[in-house]
Amino acid sequence: MPTQFDPPSGTRDFLAREFGTRERAFAQIRSVFAGYGFEPLGTPAFERLDVLMGKYGDEGEKLIFKILRRGEHESSGEADLALRYDLTVPLARVAAAYGSQLPVPYKRYAMGPVWRADRPGHGRYREFTQCDLDTLGSASPMADAEVICAVNDVFAGLGIGGFRFLLNSRRVLAGLLEAFEVPAGLGAGVLTTLDKLDKISPDEVSKELADRGMPGAEAADLVAVMTAADAEQRIRDALKTSEEGSAGLHEVDTVLSLLAGQVPAGRVQFTPRMVRGLSYYTGPIWEVTADGAAGSIASGGRYDHLIATLGGPDVPATGGSLGVERTLLLLPPGGEQDSRLDVAVTVMAEQYAPRSFAFAAAARAAGLRASVYLGASGKLGRQLKWASDSGARWAVIYGAAEEETGAVTVRDMVSGEQVRVPSSGLARYLAEQASQPGGPS
Amino acid sequence: MPTQFDPPSGTRDFLAREFGTRERAFAQIRSVFAGYGFEPLGTPAFERLDVLMGKYGDEGEKLIFKILRRGEHESSGEADLALRYDLTVPLARVAAAYGSQLPVPYKRYAMGPVWRADRPGHGRYREFTQCDLDTLGSASPMADAEVICAVNDVFAGLGIGGFRFLLNSRRVLAGLLEAFEVPAGLGAGVLTTLDKLDKISPDEVSKELADRGMPGAEAADLVAVMTAADAEQRIRDALKTSEEGSAGLHEVDTVLSLLAGQVPAGRVQFTPRMVRGLSYYTGPIWEVTADGAAGSIASGGRYDHLIATLGGPDVPATGGSLGVERTLLLLPPGGEQDSRLDVAVTVMAEQYAPRSFAFAAAARAAGLRASVYLGASGKLGRQLKWASDSGARWAVIYGAAEEETGAVTVRDMVSGEQVRVPSSGLARYLAEQASQPGGPS
């Protein structure tokens, strides 16, 4: 295509087929969330600039699309609005704005586009769909477990293969640092290095820990425990020496016990080395990996003070975010045909147009998608070609012969068989045909 | 609410209830359009600035939200992107970009937000939903009639009261000018004045026509014909003296005959004085008014060369746009309750949490919305208050007494009646209850 007609860099047009695939997935997601009592929230595409600034760090801030002031202020070159960068800051604003009108706890989901001026690349867009579910106002691990359970149901419902949850708690991590006597100032760096245990060798991790200033013996000890064959048991034992670690362990075990009956055994794994990049988590954290996916396809956790930091009330909160674009890449092939119509109605001559129009309406009344031929050709072959291109299951033909007998011809576009049906009985005939196996669903 | 937490001027947050009302209306609209074989199209929220500029006139252009360049270019104060102002220019870009991949005719609908920096006011927003359906590539009046028919089905399906279509054709208007020998240069002004016949008196219209330079006698003559008791017949007679007028009349009559069986008699009125503001229409034009609505709630027409003007291919085209925000104001009260849950499951003590969690899952398996209590209180009264606030139809109670008997208590939140059900039979019991009259739909 001529590049001047491309959508802007990093954005996409969604023609019918892809639009349909996405919408079906979105409907499935919404339905699961609603099943858990999460309610929808819609917020504007843009926020006031000051609502967004200072929330995403220097690197994030550079990626914000800013909107120029208008009218006499346009020439100032200044911005006063910006496209939303995520769905969390708008949630904090809503929590602040409508506090007392919202139910307690406030369980909401949001799904819609966000915009980031990132360098576009494979699977990375400047306009992409985010999907978040969050519970504000509950400190209970049941709220954490509920989010995980809902995310599990979404992926199971979408037919995603081989997905699993890694579960940890920020308090487990704090307990580990305490148990292994990591100096307070080194904590964050040590955790970042530990998180590499699935990518680099234990020796390299030990060395990196030592480089960060952790005494060599303690570093080797920590890595040995984390990579032992019976790592989980040894970590559990170590955590029990720390109050924070014990609390974290209890949190993880509570979530695991809540999920036990709802999620297949083994799908949720306690993963003490998992850190998750964001610093604001305060309790259970989790992420979802899947066969064939690069990186996680969902993640979340408890973030008890973040909403206050973002300008909202200081409420306990937990939630998760689905990587919608990544997830869509994993959808099993739907086998859906490129069908726009169930019934294609020919128009053999201008004088028959009102009858053809009425036949299409009759087919719609029978619950089928139907339209008349809108082209200029009076040739049946040409019109049947259109019917076939439209993916129609039946063509309805009405011309001089049909007019004479008060009937209408219905052609099965798969078998090529044609039957004459009384004009007044068309809707019923099509409804019957459609209800048979092989008809449109 | 503190103003710093308001959404930006002219935009809205949609909390659950309003979000739900809107989504139900949108789903109804999409379903009707799909029934006619229109396919969905999604385009980005922003377009390259040059795609939008020069398309909306000076006044329109001022209302475009422009996006500042990023990175090193931010300080230039220049824009390179802009939020879409309507759904028509993106359609033209898509038609140009994907021409040969699109079906012929290309029947598409689009529904989504557009942005205009208008002064916000009652029912006028800076972010609002537009909904367009268009057929590209058909010159047939059947395409015009199909759009009108679909719009009729939408309003009928939404339960909009007393709506009616005003139908005219640009060629009828051209014929009128010809028949009444209006000098070529005065045509547009004369039509603008004639369009006021429903607002100001015939004498005032005659005077305004004369002021525009139309000879007084012809002006009086034209107004007399347009306002006569038998205006339609006299206009039809006048139009027959003009080739263009005759063609326009045939166009209107063809559309009327196609709609005759599909739209109740009298709902579509030939309205020769109706002009419609936009200059690009070339054939049939129409608008929809409704009881209680200020202005039209939908409008459209044929615009055979507009797509080429906008940068797309030169294809015949016809379409319509629903005034979604105005239409939503007319929706009959839905009577929907503020219900987030069908089943509210209490958690009487921590040790019962896994069972409660499983009961909620069982209720969801029965197709009901269900969640556990996420608060900190162990008091039944407090938890039942939450169940009631959530709009739940049933509360499920599980404590020491239930554990002893292997049963679970189901409380009907309307009648207050409670029954004990075997734990393993909860899903089936709830499914049965829900299928009875008065259960959740």
Short mmCIF file of all heavy atoms in Angstrom, two decimals, chain A residues 4-6 13-14 35-36 39 42 45 48 66 68 74 93 98 107 127 138 146 262 311 340 361 364 370-371 374, chain B residues 4-6 13-14 16 35-36 39 42 45 48 66 68 74 93 98 107 127 138 146 262 340 361 364 370-371 374:
data_model
loop_
_atom_site.label_atom_id
_atom_site.label_comp_id
_atom_site.label_asym_id
_atom_site.label_seq_id
_atom_site.Cartn_x
_atom_site.Cartn_y
_atom_site.Cartn_z
N GLN A 4 1.62 6.63 2.42
CA GLN A 4 0.88 7.77 2.99
C GLN A 4 -0.49 7.35 3.50
O GLN A 4 -1.15 8.13 4.16
CB GLN A 4 0.77 8.94 2.00
CG GLN A 4 -0.23 8.75 0.87
CD GLN A 4 0.43 8.24 -0.39
OE1 GLN A 4 1.37 7.45 -0.33
NE2 GLN A 4 -0.06 8.68 -1.53
N PHE A 5 -0.91 6.13 3.17
CA PHE A 5 -2.19 5.65 3.67
C PHE A 5 -2.04 4.65 4.82
O PHE A 5 -3.02 4.11 5.31
CB PHE A 5 -3.02 5.07 2.53
CG PHE A 5 -3.35 6.09 1.47
CD1 PHE A 5 -3.04 5.85 0.13
CD2 PHE A 5 -3.94 7.29 1.81
CE1 PHE A 5 -3.34 6.80 -0.85
CE2 PHE A 5 -4.22 8.25 0.84
CZ PHE A 5 -3.92 8.00 -0.49
N ASP A 6 -0.79 4.38 5.22
CA ASP A 6 -0.57 3.57 6.43
C ASP A 6 -1.21 4.24 7.63
O ASP A 6 -1.26 5.47 7.70
CB ASP A 6 0.93 3.49 6.74
CG ASP A 6 1.64 2.42 5.93
OD1 ASP A 6 0.95 1.61 5.32
OD2 ASP A 6 2.88 2.45 5.92
N ASP A 13 -4.80 -0.69 11.83
CA ASP A 13 -6.21 -0.75 11.45
C ASP A 13 -6.65 -2.18 11.68
O ASP A 13 -5.92 -3.13 11.39
CB ASP A 13 -6.37 -0.40 9.96
CG ASP A 13 -5.97 1.03 9.65
OD1 ASP A 13 -6.32 1.93 10.44
OD2 ASP A 13 -5.30 1.25 8.62
N PHE A 14 -7.87 -2.36 12.15
CA PHE A 14 -8.41 -3.70 12.32
C PHE A 14 -9.57 -3.90 11.35
O PHE A 14 -10.65 -3.35 11.54
CB PHE A 14 -8.87 -3.93 13.76
CG PHE A 14 -7.73 -3.87 14.74
CD1 PHE A 14 -7.66 -2.86 15.68
CD2 PHE A 14 -6.72 -4.82 14.70
CE1 PHE A 14 -6.60 -2.79 16.58
CE2 PHE A 14 -5.66 -4.77 15.60
CZ PHE A 14 -5.60 -3.75 16.53
N GLY A 35 -18.43 -12.33 35.99
CA GLY A 35 -18.81 -13.50 36.77
C GLY A 35 -18.28 -13.45 38.20
O GLY A 35 -18.85 -14.06 39.10
N TYR A 36 -17.19 -12.71 38.38
CA TYR A 36 -16.62 -12.55 39.72
C TYR A 36 -17.11 -11.28 40.42
O TYR A 36 -16.63 -10.94 41.49
CB TYR A 36 -15.09 -12.50 39.63
CG TYR A 36 -14.44 -13.87 39.48
CD1 TYR A 36 -14.37 -14.49 38.24
CD2 TYR A 36 -13.90 -14.52 40.57
CE1 TYR A 36 -13.77 -15.73 38.09
CE2 TYR A 36 -13.30 -15.76 40.44
CZ TYR A 36 -13.24 -16.36 39.20
OH TYR A 36 -12.65 -17.60 39.07
N GLU A 39 -16.86 -4.91 38.17
CA GLU A 39 -17.69 -4.06 37.32
C GLU A 39 -16.83 -3.24 36.38
O GLU A 39 -15.67 -2.93 36.67
CB GLU A 39 -18.58 -3.16 38.18
CG GLU A 39 -17.89 -2.35 39.24
CD GLU A 39 -18.91 -1.50 40.02
OE1 GLU A 39 -19.61 -2.04 40.89
OE2 GLU A 39 -18.99 -0.30 39.73
N GLY A 42 -15.06 2.95 32.55
CA GLY A 42 -14.53 3.62 31.36
C GLY A 42 -14.02 5.00 31.74
O GLY A 42 -14.72 5.73 32.46
N ALA A 45 -9.81 8.95 27.04
CA ALA A 45 -8.53 8.59 26.40
C ALA A 45 -7.42 9.50 26.90
O ALA A 45 -6.28 9.08 26.97
CB ALA A 45 -8.66 8.71 24.88
N ARG A 48 -5.63 15.14 32.23
CA ARG A 48 -4.84 16.36 32.36
C ARG A 48 -3.38 15.98 32.57
O ARG A 48 -3.07 15.02 33.27
CB ARG A 48 -5.36 17.22 33.52
CG ARG A 48 -6.59 18.05 33.14
CD ARG A 48 -6.91 19.06 34.23
NE ARG A 48 -6.99 18.39 35.51
CZ ARG A 48 -8.06 17.71 35.93
NH1 ARG A 48 -9.14 17.65 35.19
NH2 ARG A 48 -8.04 17.11 37.10
N LYS A 66 1.73 13.78 24.44
CA LYS A 66 1.16 15.00 24.99
C LYS A 66 0.34 15.74 23.95
O LYS A 66 0.68 15.74 22.76
CB LYS A 66 2.29 15.91 25.49
CG LYS A 66 3.09 15.29 26.62
CD LYS A 66 4.24 16.19 27.02
CE LYS A 66 5.08 15.51 28.10
NZ LYS A 66 6.35 16.21 28.30
N LEU A 68 -1.21 19.19 22.46
CA LEU A 68 -0.94 20.62 22.39
C LEU A 68 -2.15 21.43 22.86
O LEU A 68 -3.30 21.05 22.59
CB LEU A 68 -0.65 20.94 20.91
CG LEU A 68 0.20 22.11 20.50
CD1 LEU A 68 1.56 22.11 21.20
CD2 LEU A 68 0.40 22.06 18.98
N GLU A 74 -2.16 27.59 21.22
CA GLU A 74 -1.49 26.56 20.42
C GLU A 74 -0.04 26.95 20.12
O GLU A 74 0.87 26.13 20.18
CB GLU A 74 -2.26 26.32 19.12
CG GLU A 74 -1.65 25.23 18.28
CD GLU A 74 -2.45 24.91 17.03
OE1 GLU A 74 -3.69 25.00 17.06
OE2 GLU A 74 -1.82 24.57 16.01
N ARG A 93 -7.35 8.14 40.03
CA ARG A 93 -8.11 9.38 39.94
C ARG A 93 -9.60 9.13 40.21
O ARG A 93 -10.25 9.89 40.95
CB ARG A 93 -7.92 10.03 38.55
CG ARG A 93 -8.66 11.36 38.42
CD ARG A 93 -8.53 11.99 37.05
NE ARG A 93 -9.03 11.17 35.97
CZ ARG A 93 -10.30 10.88 35.75
NH1 ARG A 93 -11.26 11.33 36.57
NH2 ARG A 93 -10.66 10.11 34.74
N TYR A 98 -14.64 9.64 43.16
CA TYR A 98 -15.98 9.10 43.45
C TYR A 98 -16.01 8.29 44.72
O TYR A 98 -16.99 7.59 44.99
CB TYR A 98 -16.46 8.24 42.28
CG TYR A 98 -16.39 8.93 40.95
CD1 TYR A 98 -15.29 8.78 40.13
CD2 TYR A 98 -17.41 9.80 40.54
CE1 TYR A 98 -15.20 9.44 38.90
CE2 TYR A 98 -17.34 10.45 39.32
CZ TYR A 98 -16.23 10.27 38.51
OH TYR A 98 -16.15 10.94 37.32
N LYS A 107 -14.44 -3.43 43.14
CA LYS A 107 -13.84 -4.40 42.22
C LYS A 107 -14.15 -3.95 40.81
O LYS A 107 -15.32 -3.96 40.41
CB LYS A 107 -14.43 -5.80 42.47
CG LYS A 107 -14.05 -6.36 43.84
CD LYS A 107 -14.91 -7.56 44.22
CE LYS A 107 -14.86 -8.68 43.24
NZ LYS A 107 -15.54 -9.90 43.76
N GLU A 127 -0.18 2.07 20.15
CA GLU A 127 -1.57 2.00 20.63
C GLU A 127 -1.86 0.52 20.86
O GLU A 127 -1.80 -0.26 19.91
CB GLU A 127 -2.55 2.57 19.59
CG GLU A 127 -4.01 2.37 19.96
CD GLU A 127 -4.96 2.96 18.92
OE1 GLU A 127 -5.15 2.35 17.84
OE2 GLU A 127 -5.50 4.05 19.17
N SER A 138 -9.75 -4.07 50.05
CA SER A 138 -9.71 -5.34 50.77
C SER A 138 -8.27 -5.75 51.03
O SER A 138 -7.46 -5.80 50.10
CB SER A 138 -10.43 -6.45 50.00
OG SER A 138 -10.19 -7.70 50.65
N GLU A 146 -8.75 -14.29 44.36
CA GLU A 146 -9.86 -14.10 43.42
C GLU A 146 -9.35 -13.57 42.08
O GLU A 146 -9.80 -14.01 41.01
CB GLU A 146 -10.89 -13.14 44.04
CG GLU A 146 -12.26 -13.26 43.43
CD GLU A 146 -13.25 -12.32 44.11
OE1 GLU A 146 -12.96 -11.10 44.23
OE2 GLU A 146 -14.31 -12.79 44.51
N GLN A 262 -9.75 -24.79 42.71
CA GLN A 262 -10.23 -24.05 41.54
C GLN A 262 -9.28 -24.09 40.35
O GLN A 262 -9.69 -23.91 39.21
CB GLN A 262 -10.48 -22.58 41.92
CG GLN A 262 -11.22 -22.36 43.23
CD GLN A 262 -12.39 -23.29 43.40
OE1 GLN A 262 -13.13 -23.55 42.45
NE2 GLN A 262 -12.57 -23.83 44.59
N GLY A 311 -2.41 9.69 44.04
CA GLY A 311 -3.37 10.77 44.24
C GLY A 311 -4.72 10.31 44.76
O GLY A 311 -5.60 11.13 45.00
N ARG A 340 -19.56 -12.68 5.67
CA ARG A 340 -20.27 -11.46 6.04
C ARG A 340 -21.78 -11.69 6.08
O ARG A 340 -22.51 -10.96 6.71
CB ARG A 340 -19.96 -10.34 5.04
CG ARG A 340 -18.51 -9.89 5.10
CD ARG A 340 -18.22 -8.79 4.11
NE ARG A 340 -18.27 -9.26 2.73
CZ ARG A 340 -17.29 -9.90 2.13
NH1 ARG A 340 -16.17 -10.20 2.77
NH2 ARG A 340 -17.40 -10.28 0.87
N ALA A 361 -35.15 -8.79 4.36
CA ALA A 361 -35.71 -8.46 5.68
C ALA A 361 -36.29 -9.72 6.33
O ALA A 361 -36.16 -9.93 7.54
CB ALA A 361 -36.77 -7.38 5.54
N ARG A 364 -33.52 -11.70 7.81
CA ARG A 364 -33.05 -11.09 9.06
C ARG A 364 -34.03 -11.38 10.20
O ARG A 364 -33.62 -11.63 11.33
CB ARG A 364 -32.85 -9.57 8.89
CG ARG A 364 -31.55 -9.22 8.17
CD ARG A 364 -31.26 -7.74 8.24
NE ARG A 364 -32.25 -6.94 7.51
CZ ARG A 364 -32.17 -6.62 6.23
NH1 ARG A 364 -31.15 -7.02 5.49
NH2 ARG A 364 -33.10 -5.89 5.67
N ALA A 370 -28.38 -10.89 6.29
CA ALA A 370 -28.85 -10.94 4.91
C ALA A 370 -28.76 -9.58 4.25
O ALA A 370 -28.96 -8.55 4.89
CB ALA A 370 -30.30 -11.43 4.86
N SER A 371 -28.46 -9.59 2.97
CA SER A 371 -28.44 -8.34 2.22
C SER A 371 -28.77 -8.62 0.77
O SER A 371 -28.65 -9.76 0.30
CB SER A 371 -27.06 -7.69 2.32
OG SER A 371 -27.00 -6.54 1.52
N LEU A 374 -26.00 -5.27 -4.47
CA LEU A 374 -26.00 -3.82 -4.66
C LEU A 374 -25.22 -3.40 -5.90
O LEU A 374 -25.00 -2.21 -6.12
CB LEU A 374 -25.38 -3.13 -3.43
CG LEU A 374 -26.13 -3.31 -2.11
CD1 LEU A 374 -25.33 -2.73 -0.94
CD2 LEU A 374 -27.51 -2.65 -2.17
N GLN B 4 -9.67 18.68 41.16
CA GLN B 4 -8.45 18.12 40.54
C GLN B 4 -8.62 16.65 40.19
O GLN B 4 -7.78 16.10 39.50
CB GLN B 4 -7.21 18.35 41.42
CG GLN B 4 -7.09 17.44 42.62
CD GLN B 4 -7.66 18.08 43.87
OE1 GLN B 4 -8.65 18.83 43.81
NE2 GLN B 4 -7.06 17.80 45.01
N PHE B 5 -9.69 16.03 40.64
CA PHE B 5 -9.92 14.63 40.27
C PHE B 5 -11.02 14.47 39.22
O PHE B 5 -11.39 13.36 38.87
CB PHE B 5 -10.23 13.80 41.53
CG PHE B 5 -9.11 13.79 42.51
CD1 PHE B 5 -9.32 14.15 43.83
CD2 PHE B 5 -7.83 13.44 42.11
CE1 PHE B 5 -8.27 14.14 44.74
CE2 PHE B 5 -6.77 13.43 43.01
CZ PHE B 5 -6.99 13.78 44.33
N ASP B 6 -11.59 15.59 38.76
CA ASP B 6 -12.50 15.53 37.62
C ASP B 6 -11.78 14.95 36.41
O ASP B 6 -10.59 15.17 36.25
CB ASP B 6 -12.93 16.95 37.22
CG ASP B 6 -14.04 17.49 38.07
OD1 ASP B 6 -14.65 16.70 38.81
OD2 ASP B 6 -14.30 18.70 37.98
N ASP B 13 -16.16 10.08 32.94
CA ASP B 13 -15.90 8.73 33.44
C ASP B 13 -17.22 7.98 33.37
O ASP B 13 -18.28 8.55 33.67
CB ASP B 13 -15.43 8.78 34.89
CG ASP B 13 -14.08 9.47 35.04
OD1 ASP B 13 -13.20 9.23 34.20
OD2 ASP B 13 -13.93 10.26 36.00
N PHE B 14 -17.17 6.72 32.98
CA PHE B 14 -18.38 5.91 32.98
C PHE B 14 -18.25 4.83 34.05
O PHE B 14 -17.50 3.86 33.87
CB PHE B 14 -18.62 5.29 31.61
CG PHE B 14 -18.87 6.32 30.53
CD1 PHE B 14 -17.96 6.52 29.51
CD2 PHE B 14 -20.00 7.11 30.58
CE1 PHE B 14 -18.19 7.49 28.53
CE2 PHE B 14 -20.24 8.07 29.60
CZ PHE B 14 -19.33 8.27 28.58
N ALA B 16 -20.04 1.84 36.52
CA ALA B 16 -20.65 0.59 36.06
C ALA B 16 -22.02 0.75 35.42
O ALA B 16 -22.28 0.25 34.34
CB ALA B 16 -20.73 -0.39 37.22
N GLY B 35 -26.40 -7.72 10.96
CA GLY B 35 -27.52 -8.40 10.31
C GLY B 35 -27.69 -8.00 8.85
O GLY B 35 -28.23 -8.76 8.05
N TYR B 36 -27.20 -6.82 8.50
CA TYR B 36 -27.26 -6.34 7.11
C TYR B 36 -25.97 -6.63 6.35
O TYR B 36 -25.80 -6.18 5.22
CB TYR B 36 -27.53 -4.83 7.09
CG TYR B 36 -28.98 -4.46 7.33
CD1 TYR B 36 -29.51 -4.41 8.61
CD2 TYR B 36 -29.82 -4.16 6.25
CE1 TYR B 36 -30.83 -4.07 8.83
CE2 TYR B 36 -31.14 -3.81 6.46
CZ TYR B 36 -31.64 -3.77 7.75
OH TYR B 36 -32.96 -3.44 7.94
N GLU B 39 -19.65 -4.88 8.02
CA GLU B 39 -18.58 -5.45 8.84
C GLU B 39 -17.89 -4.35 9.64
O GLU B 39 -17.86 -3.19 9.23
CB GLU B 39 -17.59 -6.23 7.98
CG GLU B 39 -16.99 -5.47 6.81
CD GLU B 39 -16.02 -6.35 6.02
OE1 GLU B 39 -16.48 -7.22 5.27
OE2 GLU B 39 -14.81 -6.17 6.18
N GLY B 42 -11.96 -1.03 12.77
CA GLY B 42 -11.33 -0.26 13.85
C GLY B 42 -10.12 0.46 13.31
O GLY B 42 -9.32 -0.13 12.59
N ALA B 45 -6.80 5.79 17.32
CA ALA B 45 -7.35 7.02 17.90
C ALA B 45 -6.74 8.25 17.25
O ALA B 45 -7.40 9.27 17.12
CB ALA B 45 -7.10 7.05 19.40
N ARG B 48 -1.98 10.66 11.34
CA ARG B 48 -0.95 11.66 11.04
C ARG B 48 -1.64 12.99 10.76
O ARG B 48 -2.71 13.05 10.14
CB ARG B 48 -0.09 11.22 9.85
CG ARG B 48 0.98 10.20 10.23
CD ARG B 48 1.95 9.99 9.07
NE ARG B 48 1.20 9.68 7.87
CZ ARG B 48 0.73 8.47 7.58
NH1 ARG B 48 0.97 7.46 8.39
NH2 ARG B 48 0.05 8.28 6.48
N LYS B 66 -4.30 18.24 18.66
CA LYS B 66 -3.03 17.88 18.03
C LYS B 66 -2.06 17.32 19.06
O LYS B 66 -2.04 17.75 20.22
CB LYS B 66 -2.40 19.12 17.37
CG LYS B 66 -3.25 19.68 16.25
CD LYS B 66 -2.64 20.96 15.69
CE LYS B 66 -3.57 21.55 14.64
NZ LYS B 66 -3.16 22.93 14.30
N LEU B 68 1.74 16.62 20.34
CA LEU B 68 3.08 17.20 20.27
C LEU B 68 4.09 16.13 19.83
O LEU B 68 3.99 14.97 20.20
CB LEU B 68 3.43 17.67 21.69
CG LEU B 68 4.43 18.77 21.93
CD1 LEU B 68 4.10 20.02 21.14
CD2 LEU B 68 4.43 19.11 23.43
N GLU B 74 10.21 17.53 20.91
CA GLU B 74 9.13 18.04 21.74
C GLU B 74 9.24 19.56 21.90
O GLU B 74 8.25 20.29 21.84
CB GLU B 74 9.15 17.36 23.12
CG GLU B 74 8.01 17.81 24.00
CD GLU B 74 7.96 17.07 25.34
OE1 GLU B 74 8.32 15.88 25.38
OE2 GLU B 74 7.55 17.68 26.33
N ARG B 93 -9.05 6.85 4.31
CA ARG B 93 -7.65 6.37 4.34
C ARG B 93 -7.60 4.86 4.19
O ARG B 93 -6.78 4.31 3.44
CB ARG B 93 -6.97 6.81 5.65
CG ARG B 93 -5.50 6.37 5.71
CD ARG B 93 -4.81 6.74 6.99
NE ARG B 93 -5.42 6.20 8.19
CZ ARG B 93 -5.44 4.91 8.53
NH1 ARG B 93 -4.86 4.00 7.74
NH2 ARG B 93 -6.02 4.51 9.63
N TYR B 98 -6.26 -0.22 1.61
CA TYR B 98 -6.53 -1.65 1.46
C TYR B 98 -7.41 -1.96 0.27
O TYR B 98 -7.91 -3.08 0.15
CB TYR B 98 -7.19 -2.20 2.74
CG TYR B 98 -6.42 -1.88 3.99
CD1 TYR B 98 -6.74 -0.76 4.75
CD2 TYR B 98 -5.35 -2.67 4.39
CE1 TYR B 98 -6.02 -0.44 5.89
CE2 TYR B 98 -4.63 -2.37 5.52
CZ TYR B 98 -4.97 -1.25 6.28
OH TYR B 98 -4.26 -0.93 7.40
N LYS B 107 -19.07 -2.67 2.76
CA LYS B 107 -20.07 -2.20 3.73
C LYS B 107 -19.46 -2.29 5.11
O LYS B 107 -19.21 -3.40 5.59
CB LYS B 107 -21.33 -3.08 3.64
CG LYS B 107 -22.06 -2.95 2.31
CD LYS B 107 -23.07 -4.06 2.08
CE LYS B 107 -24.10 -4.14 3.18
NZ LYS B 107 -25.18 -5.10 2.83
N GLU B 127 -15.03 14.39 24.09
CA GLU B 127 -14.85 12.98 23.73
C GLU B 127 -16.24 12.39 23.64
O GLU B 127 -16.95 12.36 24.65
CB GLU B 127 -14.02 12.25 24.79
CG GLU B 127 -13.92 10.75 24.54
CD GLU B 127 -13.07 10.02 25.58
OE1 GLU B 127 -13.57 9.79 26.70
OE2 GLU B 127 -11.93 9.69 25.27
N SER B 138 -21.17 1.16 -4.38
CA SER B 138 -22.47 0.87 -4.99
C SER B 138 -23.19 2.17 -5.32
O SER B 138 -23.34 3.04 -4.46
CB SER B 138 -23.35 0.03 -4.08
OG SER B 138 -24.67 -0.04 -4.62
N GLU B 146 -30.93 0.57 2.10
CA GLU B 146 -30.45 -0.40 3.09
C GLU B 146 -29.93 0.32 4.34
O GLU B 146 -30.20 -0.10 5.48
CB GLU B 146 -29.34 -1.26 2.47
CG GLU B 146 -29.13 -2.56 3.18
CD GLU B 146 -28.05 -3.40 2.50
OE1 GLU B 146 -26.94 -2.89 2.25
OE2 GLU B 146 -28.33 -4.58 2.22
N GLN B 262 -40.86 -2.39 4.73
CA GLN B 262 -39.95 -2.62 5.86
C GLN B 262 -40.10 -1.59 6.99
O GLN B 262 -39.73 -1.86 8.13
CB GLN B 262 -38.49 -2.60 5.38
CG GLN B 262 -38.22 -3.38 4.11
CD GLN B 262 -38.89 -4.74 4.10
OE1 GLN B 262 -38.92 -5.42 5.13
NE2 GLN B 262 -39.46 -5.11 2.97
N ARG B 340 -24.32 -6.20 41.19
CA ARG B 340 -23.00 -6.68 40.76
C ARG B 340 -22.90 -8.19 40.85
O ARG B 340 -22.09 -8.80 40.20
CB ARG B 340 -21.90 -6.05 41.63
CG ARG B 340 -21.75 -4.55 41.41
CD ARG B 340 -20.66 -3.97 42.28
NE ARG B 340 -21.01 -3.97 43.69
CZ ARG B 340 -21.81 -3.08 44.27
NH1 ARG B 340 -22.35 -2.12 43.55
NH2 ARG B 340 -22.08 -3.14 45.56
N ALA B 361 -17.15 -20.50 43.25
CA ALA B 361 -16.81 -21.10 41.95
C ALA B 361 -17.96 -21.98 41.46
O ALA B 361 -18.27 -21.99 40.26
CB ALA B 361 -15.52 -21.91 42.07
N ARG B 364 -20.58 -19.80 39.97
CA ARG B 364 -20.18 -19.33 38.64
C ARG B 364 -20.34 -20.44 37.61
O ARG B 364 -20.75 -20.21 36.48
CB ARG B 364 -18.74 -18.81 38.66
CG ARG B 364 -18.61 -17.43 39.26
CD ARG B 364 -17.21 -16.84 39.03
NE ARG B 364 -16.20 -17.59 39.75
CZ ARG B 364 -15.81 -17.33 40.99
NH1 ARG B 364 -16.34 -16.32 41.65
NH2 ARG B 364 -14.87 -18.05 41.56
N ALA B 370 -20.76 -14.49 41.04
CA ALA B 370 -20.61 -14.82 42.45
C ALA B 370 -19.25 -14.42 42.97
O ALA B 370 -18.26 -14.46 42.25
CB ALA B 370 -20.79 -16.33 42.65
N SER B 371 -19.24 -14.02 44.23
CA SER B 371 -17.98 -13.68 44.86
C SER B 371 -18.09 -13.93 46.35
O SER B 371 -19.18 -13.99 46.91
CB SER B 371 -17.64 -12.21 44.60
OG SER B 371 -16.45 -11.85 45.29
N LEU B 374 -15.00 -10.08 51.04
CA LEU B 374 -13.57 -9.75 51.10
C LEU B 374 -13.22 -8.81 52.25
O LEU B 374 -12.09 -8.33 52.36
CB LEU B 374 -13.12 -9.11 49.78
CG LEU B 374 -13.22 -10.00 48.54
CD1 LEU B 374 -12.88 -9.21 47.28
CD2 LEU B 374 -12.30 -11.21 48.65
#
